[in-house]
Amino acid sequence: MEVIESRIDTSGDEYKANYAAMEEMVTTLKEELRKARDDRSEKARKRNRELGKLTVQERLDRLLDRNTPWLEIAPLAARGMYDGQVHGAGSRAGIGLIHGREVLVHANDPMIKGGTVYPLGVKKTLRTQTIAMENRLPSVILVDSGGAYLPLQSEIFPDADDGGRIFYNQAIMSKMNLPQICAVLGLCTAGGAYIPAMSDHVVHVKNTGAIFLGGPPLVKAATGEDVSAEDLGGALVHCRDSGVSDYFAEDDAHAMQICRDIVEFLPSQEKAKIPTRPPREPLYDPKEIWGIVPLSISTPYDIREIIARIVDGSEFHEFKALFGPTLVCGWGYVHGYLAGFLGNNGVLFSNSSLKATQFISLCDRQGIPLIFLQNISGYMVGREYERGGITKDGHKMVNAVATATVPKFTVIVGASFGAGNYGMCGRAYSPRFLWMWPNAQIGVMGGEQAADVLVTVKNDQLAREGKPPLSQEMVDSIRRPIIHSALREGDAFYSTSQLWDDGILDPAKTRDVLGLAISVSLNAPLEGRVQGHGTFRM
């Protein structure tokens, strides 16, 4: 493979300005992540201590292998929503190592509204289950929840992708032979009682863990019976009498040890094989990405400069370098794993769409994972391009992305607008993981474009009616709210709060995250290399 020769002047004023701007964004990101992890009321902390419970971070520290990677999922979900205090949508989730094995962990946080489940908490749980199913991962579920947040029950309970889907997925995961280990560390009330009941292994902590369909207040109201939580659904009841729980734990720390013991004796699983070689660091410092990404999302730059700071040895074998130059395609290694890269260097034309289609087909047939680096305003529009077949050629690319069976990973490194989002494997196209950089923006189109479209449509309407065009004052009154709304709702932090992605990355950490994600994906068998027609030369 050839080494990408960087042309970045790290001593230049533009580089320094870009670097300073990204440094500020990354600092903001780190502070938001700290808040989500640590900001809890003293009242909640005191209550947790009085009950003898560990914090979520302390539970994770005891559950996971020491000094090993932790790939957190949606840490800023629900940021700024509800009352601004439902950090991470009320839970922590991620992929870590237990006895050297990659495991999906999802943990309620009892110091956030008593672990109450909000609508986005349901969405986050469903996302973690999807990740476990797609990547064939065992799950450890640390349950400590008072159940659904009743004032928002209509957003939690009745629909196909609401709370009931969690238990449906548990049944499907069990059928897929994906082990589910549940630690009952606090309340498991009403529908939440089914989480341990539908798990393969249930660890139950005495005095604090309780499983029941109806808690003491409901039992009192329905039957007149006075009963404590421990007598109604505590560890002794379910370990000794009902058989719902399998392992009796003295406290949280003991429960985490039991969970580790269970994972240790799970049957070993051979990973899928893709081309590998000993990993090497890039020739260029990944932190230089901070100075490469422009201040303005509309300013172009060469995506090869990003690839050079992600791939091993900065080596990259480019595919069709002279054809369809607004899309860079090629192969490189990430932490020793071979992957196919698609990165935007401008708008997508017919030739770049056809190049992508052929490249994706090659990777899919050869079982090589795909990495999409999105910085795209969309497909080219206009009479000449429509006559040239941009719609059908774009369709070929979108079809190839949708039907590719190899693991796909998407990083939105800049713009993600319109059909370009689809062609470059946006959320709707089922990448195994999707992340954004702090500078990224997402939407149907940019705010300026959207405002101009609406003004044009209105003026065309007025012209048909024989009326004069909009005044500048009226144009401004239309444009301002559209641009403001697009900037707010297209912002990376807004996206991640809505769970449109799996988290915002420090660009300098992208290489490490991708390496870990590829490793995780190989727990599932590769479904590519299918028999059928050969690769078409587009």
Side-chain angles (χ1 to χ4, degrees):
M1 291 187 178
E2 292 185 5
V3 172
I4 296 175
E5 184 179 348
S6 179
R7 291 176 170 82
I8 297 298
D9 178 10
T10 58
S11 63
D13 292 340
E14 183 180 358
Y15 176 90
K16 291 178 180 178
N18 292 342
Y19 191 100
M22 183 61 78
E23 184 174 34
E24 184 177 348
M25 285 187 275
V26 170
T27 298
T28 299
L29 171 62
K30 289 179 178 178
E31 176 58 17
E32 290 297 323
L33 291 171
R34 186 205 62 76
K35 288 179 183 177
R37 183 181 63 248
D38 298 332
D39 276 9
R40 306 292 184 268
S41 70
E42 186 50 45
K43 179 181 178 182
R45 290 183 181 278
K46 181 180 179 183
R47 175 65 175 161
N48 207 63
R49 287 194 299 268
E50 289 173 348
L51 292 172
K53 295 181 179 181
L54 299 175
T55 66
V56 171
Q57 185 60 57
E58 289 169 337
R59 290 168 177 173
L60 293 175
D61 290 342
R62 285 161 174 77
L63 177 67
L64 301 171
D65 296 349
R66 292 184 180 181
N67 302 316
T68 55
W70 166 248
L71 179 57
E72 188 143 9
I73 298 163
L76 298 180
R79 173 185 175 271
M81 300 180 67
Y82 310 123
D83 62 358
Q85 300 301 312
V86 186
H87 300 295
S91 66
R92 297 278 302 278
I95 299 168
L97 297 179
I98 301 177
H99 288 292
R101 183 167 185 163
E102 290 156 343
V103 176
L104 189 289
V105 182
H106 188 250
N108 299 123
D109 192 334
M111 292 194 293
I112 299 177
K113 312 294 185 182
T116 305
V117 179
Y118 282 70
L120 273 168
V122 172
K123 187 174 182 180
K124 182 170 179 176
T125 301
L126 294 176
R127 175 60 188 149
T128 62
Q129 291 179 321
T130 297
I131 290 171
M133 288 187 282
E134 288 182 341
N135 298 287
R136 305 297 197 274
L137 298 174
S139 299
V140 175
I141 314 157
L142 308 183
V143 184
D144 196 340
S145 171
Y149 181 64
L150 294 179
L152 296 177
Q153 62 175 323
S154 65
E155 300 177 41
I156 296 173
F157 174 69
D159 210 347
D161 285 325
D162 284 341
R165 192 71 176 189
I166 294 171
F167 317 126
Y168 172 90
N169 283 347
Q170 285 193 270
I172 297 301
M173 291 163 72
S174 183
K175 185 177 180 180
M176 293 172 67
N177 197 26
L178 301 179
Q180 298 167 78
I181 302 160
C182 179
V184 180
L185 306 162
L187 297 179
C188 296
T189 308
Y194 290 107
I195 293 177
M198 299 190 73
S199 296
D200 299 290
H201 303 271
V202 180
V203 182
H204 202 143
V205 178
K206 74 173 183 180
N207 297 328
T208 57
I211 304 171
F212 31 62
L213 295 180
L218 180 59
V219 171
K220 174 68 173 177
T223 69
E225 180 183 8
D226 284 309
V227 62
S228 68
E230 185 69 13
D231 289 338
L232 181 63
L236 271 180
V237 171
H238 288 305
C239 288
R240 181 187 59 192
D241 302 327
S242 76
V244 170
S245 303
D246 307 310
Y247 305 93
F248 186 93
E250 294 292 333
D251 53 25
D252 284 9
H254 187 206
M256 295 305 98
Q257 183 58 54
I258 295 172
C259 289
R260 285 184 56 82
D261 292 345
I262 295 170
V263 172
E264 187 177 17
F265 66 66
L266 292 177
S268 60
Q269 180 176 316
E270 185 175 352
K271 285 193 171 188
K273 304 294 185 183
I274 64 172
T276 60
R277 71 182 190 185
R280 295 162 53 198
E281 291 297 313
L283 294 184
Y284 311 105
D285 185 354
K287 202 168 183 179
E288 290 177 357
I289 293 173
W290 288 10
I292 295 169
V293 177
L295 291 169
S296 171
I297 199 168
S298 61
T299 302
Y301 65 95
D302 190 349
I303 197 67
R304 295 176 186 84
E305 296 288 357
I306 304 300
I307 295 172
R309 288 154 179 85
I310 292 177
V311 296
D312 293 5
S314 301
E315 294 178 346
F316 187 62
H317 183 71
E318 189 164 349
F319 176 73
K320 286 185 180 288
L322 301 180
F323 183 81
T326 60
L327 184 70
V328 174
C329 299
W331 293 272
Y333 288 84
V334 182
H335 279 282
Y337 297 108
L338 182 63
F341 284 80
L342 297 93
N344 300 117
N345 256 359
V347 69
L348 288 165
F349 291 88
S350 281
N351 56 4
S352 44
S353 301
L354 295 174
K355 177 165 82 170
T357 305
Q358 184 182 356
F359 180 72
I360 292 167
S361 175
L362 287 170
C363 288
D364 196 41
R365 295 183 67 82
Q366 295 170 14
I368 299 172
L370 292 163
I371 295 172
F372 295 81
L373 301 178
Q374 271 201 34
N375 183 21
I376 181 65
S377 58
Y379 288 86
M380 191 62 192
V381 298
R383 182 168 58 183
E384 175 189 348
Y385 303 103
E386 290 296 349
R387 289 180 174 179
I390 185 64
T391 298
K392 65 181 177 66
D393 293 332
H395 146 261
K396 293 171 186 174
M397 178 179 178
V398 169
N399 189 295
V401 172
T403 57
T405 60
V406 290
K408 299 173 288 191
F409 309 92
T410 301
V411 186
I412 302 178
V413 303
S416 179
F417 294 139
N421 171 277
Y422 307 152
M424 290 297 292
C425 199
R427 188 67 133 180
Y429 287 76
S430 297
R432 295 289 179 92
F433 297 93
L434 184 148
W435 301 278
M436 297 184 80
W437 283 358
N439 60 299
Q441 293 181 26
I442 187 170
V444 174
M445 61 182 69
E448 294 279 351
Q449 290 173 298
D452 288 343
V453 167
L454 290 175
V455 169
T456 300
V457 168
K458 184 62 178 176
N459 277 332
D460 288 347
Q461 177 186 347
L462 292 172
R464 288 194 300 271
E465 297 171 355
K467 298 177 181 179
L470 297 170
S471 67
Q472 187 58 49
E473 183 180 357
M474 295 175 70
V475 168
D476 291 342
S477 69
I478 291 175
R479 286 175 54 83
R480 276 194 300 269
I482 295 298
I483 293 172
H484 174 76
S485 177
L487 288 174
R488 184 181 70 85
E489 296 180 1
D491 177 73
F493 284 101
Y494 185 90
S495 168
T496 207
S497 73
Q498 303 291 324
L499 270 162
W500 296 346
D501 56 62
D502 295 312
I504 304 175
L505 299 182
D506 172 355
K509 303 296 184 184
T510 302
R511 164 182 160 79
D512 294 338
V513 170
L514 285 171
L516 180 55
I518 294 172
S519 174
V520 166
S521 75
L522 297 178
N523 287 284
L526 288 173
E527 298 173 358
R529 308 176 190 176
V530 295
Q531 297 298 313
H533 65 73
T535 301
F536 292 117
R537 182 167 296 279
M538 295 293 166

